[in-house]
Amino acid sequence: MDHSLKETLIFSQKMAHLSKALWKSVEKDWQLWIKPFNLNLNEHHILWIAFQQDGASVSDIANYGVMHVSTAFNFSKKLAARGLLTFSKKTHDKRNTYVCLTEEGEELLLKTFETFNEQTFSVYEAGLPIRDLYGRFPEFSELTTMIRHIYGNEFVEGFETRLHDFEEGITVEDGELVFEPKTKMPTLF
Amino acid sequence: MDHSLKETLIFSQKMAHLSKALWKSVEKDWQLWIKPFNLNLNEHHILWIAFQQDGASVSDIANYGVMHVSTAFNFSKKLAARGLLTFSKKTHDKRNTYVCLTEEGEELLLKTFETFNEQTFSVYEAGLPIRDLYGRFPEFSELTTMIRHIYGNEFVEGFETRLHDFEEGITVEDGELVFEPKTKMPTLF
């Protein structure tokens, strides 16, 4: 009991500092990646979630994107003003507002994926030595278990399902990634 | 090669979302913890680093705290204005500015540790089932390896040394944590 008090503070401090260092690296690389598209990180994240889940509610976006509902709503409004997404109500559910990507929104998002350069993503580069050693990227099962505990089963399962669907929608042609569009884009494809 | 392009994007997306979720949880709990002391997260982090490394330069603080040098400098100035730390030059090194905690700064920092309540720290609570199962908190060796790759050996070794020294300076008396002071505080102890 006495020992665990100390262990608790040390473990908490370790987690706080490791997670800050990890996130600050990802945040910096993510911002640089999407800067040419005049998007900030929250806006890009919203487009991404709307792409993965057609008709996501603002509260879905806030939950899955780990942002305040007001942040999700305000940046969604900005994206709507740029014609990148639309708000709508479902006929059987008038209470919630749903967000749908427009063709322009999807086109912009897919362009960001096409320009993704893993060599500018430090966490990818940092995962390579582990991949070389074990033959696969780290799976972070303990970390995922902790996130399941913090945010709930639905959060992690939704994340894994959307990641899986996203992966299924990608094909590789001539060494280039091709993303299956979700909206109808006769002019683009 | 074709497969790895896709694997790369999926791994990068997974890391981006997991690290965001983890950090946002830590950030929220950290902010709530130190709010009663009228400190923001950067200010608390600066006091903590200055406590762990006597005479840290502003650039040390920026490095270890994973913040911009201007952020480290501006918040250090605010803390100095509140009498919580002082700036100084070393006699043999006039180029760098060093930060030293004042007795008031240390007293405030130790008070924050004394009020630390692990039950309000979700990452701690989320680590408990793993501790119950394996008999120890997760060590995140893969994650630490990646952070070593991103920030360098010195960053991780410095972090581990400071964490170890911090742990050594804590004793438990009557179920309460007692922190060994670094500055002279005859009135406090």
Side-chain angles (χ1 to χ4, degrees):
Chain A
M1 174 60 191
D2 276 4
H3 177 71
S4 86
L5 246 182
K6 189 167 157 177
E7 193 188 4
T8 293
L9 181 66
I10 295 297
F11 174 70
S12 301
Q13 179 183 7
K14 185 177 170 178
M15 284 309 300
H17 290 74
L18 283 182
S19 68
K20 186 180 186 188
L22 183 68
W23 168 245
K24 291 293 166 184
S25 164
V26 168
E27 186 182 39
K28 194 177 104 233
D29 295 341
W30 194 342
Q31 282 168 341
L32 271 177
W33 166 31
I34 56 172
K35 207 177 164 188
F37 301 96
N38 192 24
L39 291 168
N40 68 31
L41 204 150
N42 283 317
E43 290 167 341
H44 190 249
H45 207 171
I46 291 169
L47 293 178
W48 201 329
I49 294 167
F51 176 74
Q52 290 182 315
Q53 183 180 338
D54 203 32
S57 71
V58 173
S59 103
D60 288 339
I61 288 175
N63 284 337
Y64 295 139
V66 200
M67 50 183 102
H68 284 283
V69 173
S70 60
T71 306
F73 184 64
N74 290 333
F75 283 113
S76 296
K77 273 203 299 187
K78 286 190 182 181
L79 294 168
R82 282 171 68 179
L84 300 172
L85 54 81
T86 55
F87 289 108
S88 61
K89 301 267 181 195
K90 286 185 181 168
T91 44
H92 59 279
D93 178 5
K94 298 286 182 196
R95 287 169 309 170
N96 287 312
T97 302
Y98 295 87
V99 162
C100 294
L101 277 193
T102 61
E103 291 182 16
E104 290 71 22
E106 184 170 290
E107 191 180 346
L108 185 67
L109 183 70
L110 297 184
K111 269 190 192 153
T112 67
F113 294 150
E114 283 158 16
T115 66
F116 177 75
N117 177 359
E118 72 281 2
Q119 283 163 18
T120 61
F121 232 66
S122 302
V123 283
Y124 164 76
E125 293 282 320
L128 280 183
I130 295 170
R131 185 169 175 275
D132 289 345
L133 187 61
Y134 295 108
R136 54 161 188 79
F137 279 111
E139 286 178 2
F140 298 111
S141 55
E142 288 179 330
L143 194 62
T144 308
T145 298
M146 287 175 65
I147 287 174
R148 185 186 294 273
H149 192 93
I150 298 170
Y151 292 99
N153 281 333
E154 212 186 318
F155 179 87
V156 172
E157 278 157 24
F159 170 69
E160 285 174 349
T161 303
R162 281 176 287 122
L163 197 64
H164 177 77
D165 292 348
F166 180 63
E167 192 170 0
E168 292 287 297
I170 305 173
T171 47
V172 183
E173 283 174 21
D174 302 329
E176 302 268 322
L177 297 183
V178 178
F179 299 87
E180 190 184 303
K182 299 278 182 84
T183 63
K184 303 276 167 254
M185 290 196 294
T187 55
L188 187 67
F189 286 86
Chain B
M1 176 59 192
D2 276 5
H3 177 71
S4 86
L5 246 182
K6 189 168 158 177
E7 194 188 4
T8 293
L9 181 65
I10 295 296
F11 175 70
S12 301
Q13 179 183 8
K14 185 177 170 178
M15 285 310 299
H17 291 74
L18 283 182
S19 68
K20 186 180 185 187
L22 183 68
W23 168 245
K24 291 291 164 183
S25 165
V26 168
E27 187 183 39
K28 195 178 105 234
D29 295 340
W30 194 341
Q31 282 168 341
L32 271 176
W33 166 32
I34 57 173
K35 207 177 163 187
F37 301 95
N38 192 23
L39 291 169
N40 68 31
L41 204 151
N42 282 317
E43 290 167 341
H44 190 248
H45 206 171
I46 291 169
L47 292 179
W48 202 328
I49 295 167
F51 176 74
Q52 290 182 315
Q53 183 181 337
D54 203 31
S57 71
V58 173
S59 103
D60 288 339
I61 287 175
N63 284 337
Y64 295 138
V66 199
M67 51 182 103
H68 285 283
V69 173
S70 60
T71 306
F73 184 65
N74 290 334
F75 284 113
S76 296
K77 272 203 300 187
K78 287 191 180 180
L79 293 168
R82 282 172 68 180
L84 300 172
L85 54 81
T86 54
F87 289 107
S88 61
K89 302 267 182 195
K90 286 186 182 168
T91 45
H92 59 280
D93 177 6
K94 298 286 182 197
R95 286 169 309 170
N96 288 313
T97 303
Y98 295 87
V99 162
C100 293
L101 277 192
T102 61
E103 290 182 17
E104 291 71 22
E106 184 170 290
E107 191 179 347
L108 185 68
L109 183 71
L110 296 184
K111 270 191 192 151
T112 68
F113 294 150
E114 283 158 17
T115 66
F116 178 74
N117 177 0
E118 71 280 2
Q119 282 162 18
T120 61
F121 232 66
S122 301
V123 285
Y124 164 76
E125 292 282 320
L128 280 183
I130 296 171
R131 185 170 176 276
D132 288 345
L133 187 61
Y134 295 108
R136 54 160 188 79
F137 279 112
E139 286 178 1
F140 299 111
S141 55
E142 289 179 329
L143 194 63
T144 308
T145 298
M146 287 175 64
I147 287 174
R148 184 185 295 273
H149 192 94
I150 297 170
Y151 293 99
N153 280 334
E154 212 186 319
F155 179 87
V156 172
E157 277 156 25
F159 170 68
E160 285 173 349
T161 303
R162 281 176 286 123
L163 197 64
H164 176 77
D165 292 348
F166 180 63
E167 192 171 0
E168 292 287 297
I170 305 173
T171 47
V172 182
E173 282 174 22
D174 301 329
E176 302 267 323
L177 297 183
V178 178
F179 300 88
E180 189 184 302
K182 299 280 182 82
T183 63
K184 305 274 167 254
M185 291 194 295
T187 55
L188 187 66
F189 287 85

